[in-house]
Amino acid sequence: MSAQPTIVVDGLSIPLLGFGTWELSPPDARRMVAEALRIGYRHIDTAWIYKNEAAVGDGIRDAIEAGHVTRDDIWLTTKIWVAHFGHDALLAQARESATSLGFTPDLLLLHWPKAEPTFAETLGALNEAKDQGLTRSIGLSNFPSAEFKQAQGLSKAKLVTNQVEYHPYLANGPLLATARELGSSITAWSPLAQGKIADDPVINAIGKALGKSAGQVTLRWLIQQDVIAIPRTTKVSRAEESFDIFDFTLSDEEMARIHALARPDGRLGDWLDPAFKWDEAA
């Protein structure tokens, strides 16, 4: 891995800043993954449902062929879609994803919690995928604390992260505490609140004092909490800007001012099964 902040979970070193590919078309995914790896990103996130796994794999191969990285430099994450949570379907999709990527992923996540099939069946199959060498590690996405704890209780292997929406407008204290309790981590999707932080006066004031953009301040706020952040963009200049966050530190007072921006209506994407309930904001 390149010299940048990481979080170590279950003996695995995961770069705290990654590059996300949600809503990237295959051509954009291939182009931007290659560019991100050239810039210095060493963590790439995709999912089966994004329909760009093959393009992500092509982008990684482009970067390897250009001499920017080796496979061992990269942390690669993908996700099992909810329609594939049955035992056989999960293993089939894990094989499909590895084939599409052209690489064994470092991390395979369950994309959203689902009431049926049972957690026991799904977590059992996810562990089998790891045992069969279809992924190096396993984890979750969009699991509230109660289901996060339940899933870990059913999993032989450590669930190394829970990827959830997290940005300055959405408090996630309970989930962060649960991750610490379980020896796991939190990964933030939509870390820049889908661009809404760009015009925030508090974040911009902090950035102006530091010579940094609102996006850079927000990403720094996340990684200083040991939260993994996976911004995504179709613009090389924006990817370069987002990567330039390792030369400054936010003070405790600046961190607190950003935390204070959280609000009850801050959630941007809510596809949680009605069988489950998000944590109450602390």
Side-chain angles (χ1 to χ4, degrees):
M1 299 290 183
S2 61
Q4 53 185 277
T6 63
I7 185 169
V8 177
V9 183
D10 199 35
L12 301 167
S13 184
I14 307 172
L16 281 168
L17 182 64
F19 185 80
T21 62
W22 177 57
E23 290 192 329
L24 293 190
S25 67
D28 279 340
R30 179 173 185 168
R31 174 178 61 87
M32 288 304 304
V33 164
E35 289 286 0
L37 293 171
R38 176 192 63 78
I39 290 164
Y41 291 83
R42 295 296 180 262
H43 180 166
I44 304 296
D45 180 272
T46 185
W48 182 90
I49 199 64
Y50 299 171
K51 304 185 186 304
N52 61 18
E53 285 178 317
V56 166
D58 287 338
I60 292 172
R61 282 183 288 277
D62 292 343
I64 290 172
E65 290 171 8
H68 299 311
V69 291
T70 68
R71 171 62 184 97
D72 290 343
D73 294 327
I74 303 163
W75 182 269
L76 176 60
T77 299
T78 193
K79 308 176 192 76
I80 298 288
W81 185 239
V82 297
H84 308 150
F85 275 14
H87 176 273
D88 294 350
L90 189 151
L91 291 171
Q93 197 226 285
R95 287 189 289 269
E96 178 187 339
S97 289
T99 299
S100 295
L101 289 163
F103 303 100
T104 300
D106 297 286
L107 178 57
L108 188 62
L109 308 179
L110 301 178
H111 209 145
W112 287 85
K114 188 177 177 184
E116 294 292 338
T118 65
F119 276 18
E121 178 178 344
T122 303
L123 269 296
L126 190 64
N127 275 267
E128 282 188 44
K130 179 178 183 294
D131 291 343
Q132 291 182 20
L134 298 173
T135 181
R136 286 179 64 205
S137 65
I138 58 176
L140 309 172
S141 186
N142 303 302
F143 275 56
S145 285
E147 288 69 38
F148 192 179
K149 292 175 183 178
Q150 183 184 357
Q152 183 60 78
L154 291 165
S155 179
K156 176 180 68 175
K158 176 68 67 179
L159 301 173
V160 303
T161 203
N162 186 8
Q163 186 179 126
V164 299
E165 181 182 347
Y166 187 32
H167 46 71
Y169 305 125
L170 181 64
N172 255 332
L175 264 176
L176 289 164
T178 297
R180 287 191 296 270
E181 176 187 336
L182 296 176
S184 186
S185 67
I186 292 294
T187 300
W189 60 258
S190 287
L192 303 180
Q194 298 175 18
K196 290 180 170 55
I197 54 90
D199 299 319
D200 190 281
V202 171
I203 298 173
N204 274 287
I206 292 170
K208 183 176 181 181
L210 295 167
K212 293 291 180 179
S213 70
Q216 289 169 323
V217 168
T218 301
L219 292 171
R220 185 72 205 184
W221 173 77
L222 287 163
I223 70 167
Q224 277 187 215
Q225 299 175 63
D226 277 339
V227 169
I228 302 159
I230 48 169
R232 67 105 168 90
T233 181
T234 59
K235 298 179 180 178
V236 174
S237 60
R238 186 60 55 83
E240 290 172 335
E241 176 187 306
S242 293
F243 192 74
D244 186 21
I245 63 170
F246 304 122
D247 60 350
F248 73 105
T249 302
L250 296 172
S251 68
D252 290 346
E253 184 267 342
E254 289 165 335
M255 292 286 290
R257 286 167 64 193
I258 299 170
H259 277 294
L261 298 173
R263 57 201 190 206
D265 62 347
R267 192 176 299 280
L268 300 173
D270 191 356
W271 301 280
L272 189 66
D273 188 301
F276 310 116
K277 183 181 179 183
W278 293 115
D279 294 77
E280 294 292 337

